[in-house]
Amino acid sequence: MRGSPTTLPTAVGALGWSGAPQRWEQALLRAARLLGPSWGSGQRPVVLAALALTVHTASVEQQRPPAEVPLETVQHLLRADPAGLRSRILAALTADGVDRADPLWGIGHDLTRVQEVDPDLGDVLLDIAPEAEIDGLAVLLAGLLDGMTADQERALPAPPGLLPPLRIELDADGGHIQQTRTWAGGWSADAIRCPVCRAPSGGALIVDGPVVTYACPAGHTSTVRTLAASDVRTAMAASIRTDTDAEPTPGTGLPYTRLRVTGILRVPVIAPQGALMR
């Protein structure tokens, strides 16, 4: 059985975070609106990320808000020189003052961080789809937007809003996150552990946009670079629907969605494909 498909709201939630640059937030929401009609079970967050980066680049180059960039400018940027899009994206990030500490830098320089990995596909770690490269994504996106007019865009429904940060509280008596690795012929799972005290359970996993952080019971915090935020949200949503591993925790006034894991939540490790845009 295939894993749960990534919905458009989940993909948007993986790419927007608290404190994100306003230009990026606007570019992301416009990209989500443009992709709404074509979004299906086969789409991955990396597709949305590539279009949002393209809209962001056009916005920086034209020095106008993402919402005011003509649709034909975005279409031309995707069609004209797919191989040169990478350098223009990186130049726009630099020109917009994005530094290495900003999550947007990670998105722009390594699209693998937002690429969905299906834990139930046996050969997913061995088969790198050509469209995962930025030039291939540009060709794909150009096809999706081909023929769309400005009037048609204005008639599209509003995009899904940004998701609040997600805090997953792990039960101290055994609640933990398992990182699964899948290959042809089998799979394995390892619990996330604190790199300082090696605590395997308890604490919390926090998802804020593309950043996944683990806070152990002792208070040590560390970035979990082996998990994609979209995969964590998708796995968590599946658990809630089946009522197996998680249950909602009543609101506490905290500025994030708060959930509790009482058993094991399995999330696939990001495919070790390396950076796509370096």
Side-chain angles (χ1 to χ4, degrees):
M1 179 182 298
R2 292 177 61 91
S4 301
T6 298
T7 65
L8 186 56
T10 297
V12 172
L15 295 168
W17 60 95
S18 55
Q22 187 177 35
R23 190 194 303 271
W24 171 249
E25 181 177 318
Q26 293 175 354
L28 175 60
L29 293 178
R30 184 173 185 195
R33 183 174 190 174
L34 288 169
L35 285 178
S38 62
W39 195 270
S41 60
Q43 294 286 33
R44 297 172 297 174
V46 68
V47 178
L48 175 61
L51 182 55
L53 286 169
T54 303
V55 174
H56 179 272
T57 297
S59 172
V60 172
E61 291 181 347
Q62 294 198 351
Q63 285 301 293
R64 61 170 68 184
E68 296 179 9
V69 173
L71 175 60
E72 58 264 28
T73 298
V74 177
Q75 293 167 319
H76 177 76
L77 193 56
L78 292 168
R79 290 194 309 262
D81 183 18
L85 182 57
R86 182 190 116 186
S87 60
R88 292 178 71 169
I89 287 174
L90 299 182
L93 291 175
T94 301
D96 206 32
V98 177
D99 60 34
R100 293 180 181 273
D102 196 304
L104 181 52
W105 180 274
I107 293 174
H109 283 69
D110 188 358
L111 277 176
T112 306
R113 293 295 302 160
V114 294
Q115 184 172 341
E116 181 186 47
V117 179
D118 188 337
D120 297 313
L121 292 179
D123 59 351
V124 71
L125 301 186
L126 304 177
D127 182 16
I128 302 175
E131 66 268 19
E133 300 289 350
I134 187 61
D135 53 346
L137 283 166
V139 174
L140 171 66
L141 289 165
L144 291 176
L145 300 184
D146 184 47
M148 182 180 290
T149 65
D151 287 340
Q152 289 173 329
E153 181 186 359
R154 282 190 287 271
L156 293 176
L162 300 180
L163 296 177
L166 172 66
R167 181 182 177 90
I168 304 170
E169 298 187 345
L170 309 176
D171 186 79
D173 295 325
H176 62 273
I177 306 292
Q178 280 191 346
Q179 304 177 96
T180 62
R181 295 173 175 82
T182 308
W183 62 88
W187 67 283
S188 65
D190 301 305
I192 289 180
R193 294 178 180 272
C194 172
V196 178
C197 65
R198 306 301 294 168
S201 62
L205 197 69
I206 300 98
V207 180
D208 188 2
V211 181
V212 181
T213 305
Y214 175 57
C216 81
H220 306 128
T221 60
S222 56
T223 301
V224 184
R225 302 186 184 281
T226 51
L227 299 181
S230 59
D231 290 332
V232 177
R233 286 188 180 274
T234 298
M236 204 68 199
S239 294
I240 294 169
R241 283 199 300 270
T242 57
D243 196 26
T244 54
D245 297 326
E247 61 184 32
T249 298
T252 61
L254 298 171
Y256 46 69
T257 300
R258 190 179 183 193
L259 303 167
R260 180 164 59 89
V261 172
T262 56
I264 297 173
L265 182 69
R266 293 187 173 92
V267 183
V269 171
I270 293 174
Q273 298 173 2
L276 297 179
M277 298 184 66
R278 289 176 183 167

